[in-house]
């Protein structure tokens, strides 16, 4: 028996692990709302797993390539030519056409930029920063979208749990009214009314389950992963309360990624404006090369070097069109940033007022009304068990308590969405993932 004991223990452990896996299936390809990471972790998960950011990755790669390109020198040009190819009779006559007359030239030319590389690099650096901040802003917005859908799922699960209890109580009340009718203690109208109420609650329960499916689908579409519901009334309530218990602090609106992106775009436009204004400075092209001349019979030098310099004359196009476009872009970015900042300030003030009003209602409901209704239910339950109250009164009290719970869930959902709206307007939110700022090579 002792020889088989280790094998039995191992088999039991394996069966236990298998059963646990069946009860709590987990997958890296599923977003478990009950164990949802914090905002930073959720943003990183979305950046890594959501296919919607593929275009943003391409934009970032293109912007990084443009920035890298500004630090490279212009490519030199190689010039090879065969000159003085004779046509007709040679002078003097009798010369070999390809051996005694032509000359061969090999040269290199290089463009030398004057006062333009610095502004071009500054513009590309600011443009890269603006693109990165734009992507961070989009990721931040997507993170808040997923949190809002998770709040909708949590609220719906709370409502389903409470509606299930209300439906069961309504069915019990219907059965009770039917039994009382059979004994002549209740009218048929009371039975019909109880039946209709039970059916109405069943219909509402079915609609909430449909809403749950829609909320999970919306969550999956935003996250790029299937969303697993919370699975219990307690976990759903804990998710809602975890954010509502935190008082949102006043964030610096100017630090919002989209507003910082507009500042970066203004900087890029200012650098482009400087670059355009320096277009009047001509960029010379330096040339150097070697000439091998075979027409030595005419007194030419057989081997020689040459150097040259060509300078463009910016008489007509000296960057005036580019300067106008850059100036307009800078002004547009500045005005947009100022308008969005003022709008965010107004929105934050209004949203905070709305949140305070909702929080006051929530506090009154959770600290006064709900405890009072729960106490009535408990006292009636004790009275029914002692034979001092009718079961019908207990079921009606439970219905009142359940309706208050549903109202509380709706208030929690409203308050949660308000906190998200305040965070969107302020500079709160997840930080940019490391793979967004410093991509893997």
């Amino acid at each position: 028996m002792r020889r088989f004991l280790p094998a039995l223990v191992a088999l039991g452990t394996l069966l236990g692990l298998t059963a646990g896996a069946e009860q709590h299936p987990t997958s890296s390809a599923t977003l478990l709302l009950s164990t949802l990471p914090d905002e930073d972790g959720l943003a990183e998960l979305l950046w890594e797993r959501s296919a919607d950011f593929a275009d943003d990755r391409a934009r970032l790669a293109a912007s990084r390539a443009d920035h890298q390109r500004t630090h490279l020198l212009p490519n030199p040009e190689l010039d090879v030519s065969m000159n003085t190819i004779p046509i007709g009779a040679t002078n003097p006559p009798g010369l070999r056409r390809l051996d005694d007359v032509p000359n061969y030239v090999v040269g290199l030319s290089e463009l030398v930029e004057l006062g333009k590389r610095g502004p071009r690099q500054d513009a590309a650096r600011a443009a890269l920063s603006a693109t990165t901040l734009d992507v961070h802003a989009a990721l931040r917005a997507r993170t808040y979208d997923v949190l809002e859908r998770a709040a909708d799922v949590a609220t719906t699960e709370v409502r389903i749990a409470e509606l299930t209890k209300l439906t069961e109580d309504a069915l019990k009340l219907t059965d009770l009214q039917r039994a009382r009718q059979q004994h002549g203690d209740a009218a048929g109208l009371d039975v019909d009314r109880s039946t209709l109420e039970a059916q109405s609650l069943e219909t509402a329960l079915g609609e909430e389950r449909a809403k749950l499916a829609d909320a999970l689908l919306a969550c999956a579409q935003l996250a790029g992963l299937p969303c697993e519901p919370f699975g219990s009334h307690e976990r759903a309530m804990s998710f809602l309360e975890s954010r509502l218990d935190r008082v949102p602090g006043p964030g610096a609106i100017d630090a919002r990624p989209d507003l910082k992106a507009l500042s970066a775009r203004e900087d890029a436009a200012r650098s482009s404006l400087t670059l355009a204004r320096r277009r009047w400075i001509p960029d010379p092209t330096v040339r150097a090369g070697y000439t091998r001349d075979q027409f030595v019979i005419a007194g030419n030098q057989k081997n020689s070097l040459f150097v040259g310099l060509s300078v463009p004359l910016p008489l007509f196009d000296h960057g005036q069109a580019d300067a106008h476009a850059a100036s307009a872009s800078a002004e547009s970015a500045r005005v947009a940033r100022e308008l969005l900042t003022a709008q965010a300030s107004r929105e934050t003030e209004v949203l905070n007022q709305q949140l305070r009003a909702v929080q006051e209602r929530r506090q009154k409901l959770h600290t006064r009304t709900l405890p009072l209704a729960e106490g009535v239910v408990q006292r009636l339950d004790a009275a029914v068990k002692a034979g001092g109250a009718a079961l019908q009164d207990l079921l009606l009290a439970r219905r009142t308590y359940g309706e208050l719970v549903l109202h509380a869930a709706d208030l929690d959902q409203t308050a949660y969405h308000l906190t998200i709206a305040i965070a969107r307007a302020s500079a709160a939110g997840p930080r940019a993932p490391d793979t967004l700022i410093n991509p893997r090579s």
Side-chain angles (χ1 to χ4, degrees), residues 11-24:
L11 180 60
T13 303
L14 179 60
L15 292 175
L17 291 175
T18 304
E22 292 177 353
Q23 294 175 0
H24 304 284

Side-chain angles (χ1 to χ4, degrees), residues 86-421:
I87 299 176
T90 61
N91 183 22
L95 297 178
R96 293 173 297 179
R97 294 181 179 277
L98 299 181
D99 294 336
D100 298 334
V101 180
N103 63 72
Y104 301 91
V105 178
V106 178
L108 286 175
S109 59
E110 175 68 19
L111 176 69
V112 180
E113 293 184 310
L114 301 179
K116 299 178 180 64
R117 284 177 56 81
R120 184 180 293 113
Q121 291 171 356
D122 293 340
R125 186 183 305 109
L128 174 58
S129 177
T131 303
T132 304
L133 289 167
D134 278 339
V135 174
H136 181 202
L139 180 61
R140 173 178 178 263
R142 179 60 60 88
T143 302
Y144 283 139
D145 290 341
V146 172
L147 287 176
E148 286 185 323
R149 299 294 80 75
D152 293 341
V153 171
T155 304
T156 306
E157 288 193 62
V158 172
R159 291 182 60 84
I160 288 175
E162 206 56 43
L163 280 172
T164 301
K165 296 178 183 178
L166 289 176
T167 303
E168 293 174 353
D169 289 343
L171 292 174
K172 289 180 182 179
L173 182 59
T174 301
D175 294 338
L176 178 61
Q177 294 284 27
R178 189 174 290 112
R180 292 182 62 193
Q181 181 190 21
Q182 293 175 356
H183 290 84
D185 296 333
L189 181 61
D190 294 334
V191 177
D192 293 340
R193 186 169 52 191
S194 298
T195 302
L196 289 175
E197 185 174 357
Q199 291 176 353
S200 176
L201 288 171
E202 288 178 339
T203 302
L205 181 59
E207 291 176 352
E208 288 298 327
R209 287 171 177 163
K211 288 181 181 179
L212 177 61
D214 292 340
L216 289 172
L217 178 60
C219 175
Q221 291 173 342
L222 290 171
L225 296 170
C227 294
E228 191 74 19
F230 293 91
S232 73
H233 171 276
E234 291 76 14
R235 286 197 290 266
M237 288 295 298
S238 177
F239 171 79
L240 293 172
E241 292 173 354
S242 63
R243 187 177 189 93
L244 298 179
D245 291 341
R246 301 196 307 264
V247 178
I253 297 177
D254 292 339
R256 261 174 38 180
D258 57 335
L259 297 180
K260 292 173 66 177
L262 287 173
S263 297
R265 293 196 182 284
E266 183 181 0
D267 294 340
R270 298 293 181 193
S271 298
S272 297
L273 178 60
T274 301
L275 176 64
R277 287 173 175 172
R278 292 183 182 180
R279 286 271 302 276
W280 68 270
I281 304 176
D283 296 330
T285 299
V286 179
R287 299 191 308 276
Y290 164 74
T291 301
R292 180 177 177 83
D293 197 341
Q294 300 180 110
F295 201 24
V296 293
I297 193 172
N300 294 346
Q301 180 69 28
K302 186 173 185 178
N303 298 297
S304 62
L305 299 176
F306 70 88
V307 293
L309 179 69
S310 62
V311 179
L313 301 178
L315 299 178
F316 307 110
D317 182 6
H318 47 80
Q320 62 269 34
D322 293 340
H324 178 74
S327 179
S329 297
E331 182 65 14
S332 175
R334 183 189 65 80
V335 172
R337 187 184 69 253
E338 292 178 354
L339 292 176
L340 284 176
T341 301
Q343 178 181 345
S345 299
R346 294 192 300 268
E347 288 180 356
T348 302
E349 183 178 357
V350 174
L351 290 170
N352 276 309
Q353 293 176 357
Q354 294 177 351
L355 180 60
R356 284 193 294 269
V358 172
Q359 291 287 33
E360 290 177 0
R361 294 164 59 191
R362 286 186 66 250
Q363 184 178 8
K364 181 179 179 180
L365 187 62
H366 283 281
T367 59
R368 299 180 186 177
T369 310
L370 278 176
L372 178 61
E374 186 177 10
V376 171
V377 170
Q378 292 174 353
R379 290 195 300 271
L380 281 174
D381 183 59
V384 169
K385 292 179 180 178
L391 179 60
Q392 181 180 1
D393 295 336
L394 174 61
L395 295 178
L396 292 175
R398 285 181 179 175
R399 181 192 306 170
T400 302
Y401 175 72
E403 291 173 351
L404 289 173
V405 172
L406 293 177
H407 182 55
D410 292 338
L411 282 179
D412 290 345
Q413 183 183 25
T414 301
Y416 194 98
H417 282 288
L418 285 173
T419 60
I420 293 294

